[in-house]
């Protein structure tokens, strides 16, 4: 049974790592597609990526260029606001994480032993303090909090980065709906695959730590 479990763990490890790496690589590839739409320069859109360039010689090229410059100005303001919001939010999240993590650590360390060898005067099992279990529980809470904060940070950054580029892609004369949808789809794929891969790696790392104290082959106590 132990040998079978070890084989399953090895196969699961390979599957998890491969899926995480593929997710990260695919998310970066999608991000590179969104990044091809430039917000500065003589030609704001790449012609070789399927988008028409804004040429200085076009009849209404100057008007389009002014519109895009306005988009960039709004994009810069949104970016500054998003950064300020993230800093304020995460400062409070860290305070909550430390404070509530301490509460989780203390209360989950107070356990009733399964054997119940020692009893109080009223006949009930004596309470014991299992600091290891409490520490691992608090670690799980804090690691989950940090993973959530990272996912929120990545999601905000990708969303702000892609919004202006999606608008510019929609200004293409030949296929505005197609280019705009593709840009938004690529941005969504960055967040989807990137967040899932990061969460999968975080959970896998936590399980490795738990396994070092509570081997999965011999105990299920950590899941009760």
């Amino acid at each position: 049974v132990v040998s079978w479990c070890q084989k399953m763990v090895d196969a699961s490890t390979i599957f998890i790592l491969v899926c995480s790496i593929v997710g990260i690589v695919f998310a970066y590839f999608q991000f590179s597609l969104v990044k091809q739409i430039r917000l500065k320069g003589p030609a704001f859109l790449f012609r070789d990526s399927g988008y028409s360039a804004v040429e200085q010689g076009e009849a209404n090229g100057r008007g389009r260029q002014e519109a895009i410059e306005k988009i960039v100005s709004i994009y810069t303001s949104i970016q500054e606001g998003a950064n300020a919001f993230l800093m304020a939010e995460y400062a409070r999240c860290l305070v909550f994480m430390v404070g509530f993590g301490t509460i989780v650590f203390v209360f989950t360390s107070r356990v009733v032993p399964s054997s119940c060898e020692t009893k109080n005067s009223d006949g009930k099992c004596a309470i014991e303090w299992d600091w290891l279990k409490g520490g691992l529980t608090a670690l799980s809470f804090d690691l989950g909090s940090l993973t959530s904060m990272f996912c929120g940070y990545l999601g905000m950054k990708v969303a702000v980065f892609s919004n202006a580029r999606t608008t510019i892609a929609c200004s293409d004369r030949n296929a505005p709906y197609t280019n705009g949808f593709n840009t938004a789809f690529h941005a969504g794929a960055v967040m989807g695959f990137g967040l899932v891969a990061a969460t999968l790696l975080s959970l896998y790392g936590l399980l490795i730590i738990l396994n070092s104290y509570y081997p999965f082959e011999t105990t299920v106590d950590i899941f009760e």
Side-chain angles (χ1 to χ4, degrees):
V1 175
V2 174
S3 177
W4 180 83
C5 291
Q6 186 62 42
K7 291 180 180 179
M8 290 299 297
V9 169
D10 294 339
S12 300
T13 298
I14 296 175
F15 179 77
I16 291 171
L17 294 179
V18 170
C19 289
S20 299
I21 294 174
V22 170
I24 293 174
V25 172
F26 186 75
Y28 181 80
F29 170 72
Q30 296 295 318
F31 177 77
S32 66
L33 296 178
V34 178
K35 194 176 180 181
Q36 287 182 354
I37 305 177
R38 297 186 299 172
L39 300 181
K40 296 180 181 180
F44 292 90
L45 304 179
F46 281 120
R47 176 169 289 160
D48 56 4
S49 62
Y51 301 104
S52 62
V54 179
E55 303 290 351
Q56 298 291 336
E58 292 182 355
N60 60 345
R62 180 174 301 177
R64 294 189 67 206
Q65 182 173 341
E66 291 177 353
I68 293 177
E69 290 175 353
K70 181 65 174 179
I71 293 174
V72 173
S73 176
I74 297 174
Y75 159 77
T76 303
S77 299
I78 295 175
Q79 189 177 44
E80 294 175 354
N83 291 335
F85 168 78
L86 288 174
M87 292 296 295
E89 180 186 34
Y90 287 165
R92 289 162 175 79
C93 286
L94 287 174
V95 174
F96 175 83
M97 186 180 72
V98 174
F100 200 78
T102 303
I103 296 176
V104 170
F105 170 67
V106 173
F107 279 89
T108 56
S109 297
R110 187 174 182 271
V111 298
V112 177
S114 56
S115 59
C116 195
E117 297 177 355
T118 305
K119 295 185 178 182
N120 297 325
S121 58
D122 57 358
K124 296 181 179 181
C125 296
I127 299 298
E128 295 182 357
W129 293 93
D130 190 341
W131 301 111
L132 175 61
K133 183 175 292 187
L136 291 175
T137 305
L139 174 64
S140 302
F141 170 78
D142 288 336
L143 184 59
S145 300
L146 291 174
T147 303
S148 177
M149 293 168 64
F150 170 76
C151 291
Y153 178 85
L154 180 62
M156 178 70 79
K157 286 293 186 179
V158 173
V160 174
F161 182 85
S162 306
N163 282 345
R165 289 166 172 81
T166 301
T167 305
I168 293 177
C170 289
S171 68
D172 180 67
R173 298 176 179 177
N174 299 323
Y177 298 111
T178 300
N179 292 336
F181 174 82
N182 288 340
T183 303
F185 186 85
H186 294 321
V190 173
M191 290 187 285
F193 283 88
L195 301 188
V196 171
T199 305
L200 187 60
L201 287 176
S202 175
L203 181 59
Y204 175 74
L206 177 62
L207 291 176
I208 292 297
I209 297 175
L210 296 179
N211 184 48
S212 63
Y213 294 99
Y214 296 93
F216 300 148
E217 298 87 353
T218 58
T219 180
V220 295
D221 181 64
I222 194 64
F223 299 106
E224 294 181 352

